Amino acid sequence: MTISNASNSELSQAQEPARHQEGKIKYILIGIALLYLALVLLIPAVNVFVQAFQGGVGAFLQALQTPDFIHAAQLTLIIAAIVVPVNTIFGLCAAWAIARHQFPGRALAISIIDLPFSISPVVAGLMIVLLYGRNGWLGPILEAANFRVIFALPGMIIATAFVTLPFVAREVIPVLEEVGTDQEEAARTLGAKDWEIFWRVTLPNIRWGLLYGVILTNARAMGEFGAVAVVSGNIARRTQTLPLFVEESYKQYHTQSAFAAAVILGCLAVVTLVLKEIVERKTRIKDVE
Amino acid sequence: MAVSSSPEIRVRRPNVWQQLNQVSWAWRITVVYLSIMLLIPTAAMLLRASTDGPVRFWQVATSPIALSAYEVTFVTAFIASAINGVFGTLLAWVLVRYDFPFKRIVDAIVDLPFALPTAVAGLTLATVYSDNGWIGSLLAPLGIKIAFTRLGVGVAMTFISLPFVVRTVQPVLQEMEKDVEESAWSLGASQFQTFWRVILPPLMPAILTGVALGFSRAVGEYGSTVLVAANMPFQDLIAPVLVFQRLEQYDYSGATAIGTVMLAISLGILLGINLLQAWGRRYDYK
């Protein structure tokens, strides 16, 4: 709409040199694009930091020292520390299995791996509750073994693993396909074992794609809200992660705590974006070579 | 990529069994993990949905409150992703074709919704767009309330679906040859004609794919929308929140029925995205 309107108004001046017109349209378009980005993204992002430090640095630091916050931060780190390696290993296996083989239903396999992206996190959490909950398939068995999954850490780990499952595989598959098999086959003819081939040939080739996938997995694992909220029960100091802490504090009108925790999670986002930028630059340099 | 390959020499013989055996551990991990994480939970939900019988399922899935939640979710998500279809294309265009200060930073910021936890997005959008927030306070005198209304849900959905169109359109624009446009110009086409007839058609599959991806994300979104909405039934209650509320009331049948409808719709969208991407590829090798 905007683009066509801007061009439409210029129609009457079609006789003018194209370059002059382009210059004017250029600034209008840049202006609209930046205004849109500011309204939707930038102003809200800056707001997080301003709100958190409104009461001064002291109030901010104090909010970070409450036992509820510390426990939530620890839990978030524990979940990420378990989910990220597990999904990295799975992602590598799945990527290798899919990128290195032609088989019927290959497109379907990729779609299945992508599935967690299109399933609502709340529905993902619901599935886990229906499977491991008290009335679920595995509920009675787990209860007999005295092992709690729902409203406990294992359920939160499963929920986080579910929503972050595709990232590594979907970043690594295209890189593996592009690199091709020549180097691996050469290594094999030279007598390298599977593990050696993977470690010395495949891994160096895919390292940036892999790193990208791991960064995204980590960001989502630490930031996941919906799926974890469903399975955790959101009990302070027991099953409350940082995103849940943000929501809970906000609902209880503890705005300072909510924004302090939000800043910590916001920093995670900034670090993620910076790392992503570095990875992209590295791959671009490789492209030029 | 300087790859000196000799296609005649093939180390691997076309023995299927041997091929499978070579990487069987990778296959086994993939299949077992996918089954445990994805297929069994999905099956659990579908079977749970079928135990109540089709009549009961239909009753719960199409109850007035559920229908209004679908309406709020899908219509708002559609509008949000369509808005991003327009502005995302514009952003991609500006980022690919023009140079301006801080362009690299702007380019990086586009990915913020991927990196920022949704609870933080919801919290800050609710604050910025509330009646005394930075942007909300400017709109309040005009009688426009955003936070805790359906408009707020729309803003949150716009936020989280913003990167999809930009990131699908950007590479296509980058590969597009500028001389096609220039020849259109030299043949006397106006800028509008050039845009409408030369630039837009090859971009369309990418734009639609981005819109569909954003729509899919917006429909399932929970974290940002739950914080920015008042979650009032028949007003701004979205389907994921309804599932959550049903679960909190231990109404497993209700949660399952609505969850199954949402799953079916997500699968439909996924299929649509795959078809759109296949359609986009027809421009690849010409």
Side-chain angles (χ1 to χ4, degrees), chain A residues 25 36 39-41 44 47 87 90 94 101 111-112 118 120-121 137 162 182 189 194 225 250 259 276-277 284, chain B residues 3 5 11 23 30 33 37-38 47 84 87 104 111 123-124 127 129 158-159 191 220 222-223 227 266 274:
Chain A
I25 291 176
Y36 182 69
L39 279 178
V40 180
L41 283 191
N47 175 68
N87 271 347
F90 160 75
H101 296 92
S111 295
I112 288 176
S118 43
S120 170
W137 278 6
F162 184 102
D182 298 333
T189 45
D194 280 353
F225 181 79
Y250 174 68
F259 275 100
K276 206 179 136 292
E277 191 67 25
R284 237 174 266 154
Chain B
V3 184
S5 63
V11 178
V23 285
T30 306
Y33 191 75
M37 290 304 298
L38 216 80
L47 268 172
N84 274 328
F87 286 99
R104 293 206 67 125
D111 277 331
L123 173 74
T124 186
T127 312
Y129 284 94
T158 310
F159 177 93
Q191 289 209 337
Y222 177 77
L227 278 161
S266 327
N274 281 341

Side-chain angles (χ1 to χ4, degrees), chain B residues 196-244:
Chain B
W196 195 251
R197 303 236 170 147
V198 178
I199 300 169
L200 202 57
L203 281 187
M204 220 47 213
I207 296 172
L208 289 179
T209 305
V211 169
L213 285 169
F215 179 73
S216 158
R217 174 79 199 267
V219 162
E221 178 57 17
Y222 177 77
S224 54
T225 41
V226 75
L227 278 161
V228 87
N231 302 311
M232 299 282 281
F234 302 105
Q235 282 177 30
D236 62 353
L237 184 76
I238 52 164
V241 176
L242 184 60
V243 172
F244 198 100

Side-chain angles (χ1 to χ4, degrees), chain B residues 6-226:
Chain B
S6 44
E8 298 82 27
I9 302 168
R10 281 271 167 211
V11 178
R12 214 164 48 192
R13 295 276 150 242
N15 180 333
V16 178
W17 177 243
Q18 247 176 21
Q19 273 185 36
L20 280 178
N21 229 19
Q22 256 174 16
V23 285
S24 59
W25 56 272
W27 268 105
R28 274 175 213 154
I29 292 174
T30 306
V31 170
V32 169
Y33 191 75
L34 270 182
S35 307
I36 293 175
M37 290 304 298
L38 216 80
L39 303 179
I40 294 176
T42 311
M45 189 173 82
L46 295 180
L47 268 172
R48 181 73 178 73
S50 64
T51 51
D52 285 336
V55 179
R56 172 102 183 92
F57 178 87
W58 187 250
Q59 263 177 358
V60 178
T62 61
S63 58
I65 189 169
L67 286 180
S68 113
Y70 303 142
E71 195 262 332
V72 173
T73 311
F74 293 108
V75 172
T76 316
F78 179 77
I79 295 170
S81 46
I83 289 174
N84 274 328
V86 175
F87 286 99
T89 308
L90 174 64
L91 256 167
W93 176 267
V94 163
L95 286 171
V96 170
R97 287 294 171 90
Y98 302 144
D99 258 321
F100 52 91
F102 306 114
K103 186 173 136 176
R104 293 206 67 125
I105 294 174
V106 171
D107 194 17
I109 284 173
V110 169
D111 277 331
L112 191 69
F114 286 156
L116 193 72
T118 53
V120 179
L123 173 74
T124 186
L125 287 172
T127 312
V128 167
Y129 284 94
S130 76
D131 282 350
N132 41 22
W134 289 356
I135 299 174
S137 62
L138 301 175
L139 297 170
L142 306 172
I144 304 171
K145 283 173 90 71
I146 294 187
F148 313 116
T149 68
R150 220 174 136 165
L151 274 177
V153 176
V155 170
M157 285 177 169
T158 310
F159 177 93
I160 50 121
S161 63
L162 187 136
F164 290 99
V165 174
V166 183
R167 294 302 181 229
T168 46
V169 172
Q170 236 174 353
V172 183
L173 258 181
Q174 240 146 18
E175 275 181 26
M176 234 163 75
E177 303 287 342
K178 232 190 152 179
D179 35 337
V180 186
E181 284 162 56
E182 277 163 3
S183 55
W185 279 14
S186 67
L187 291 172
S190 71
Q191 289 209 337
F192 176 72
Q193 282 174 322
T194 313
F195 173 75
W196 195 251
R197 303 236 170 147
V198 178
I199 300 169
L200 202 57
L203 281 187
M204 220 47 213
I207 296 172
L208 289 179
T209 305
V211 169
L213 285 169
F215 179 73
S216 158
R217 174 79 199 267
V219 162
E221 178 57 17
Y222 177 77
S224 54
T225 41
V226 75

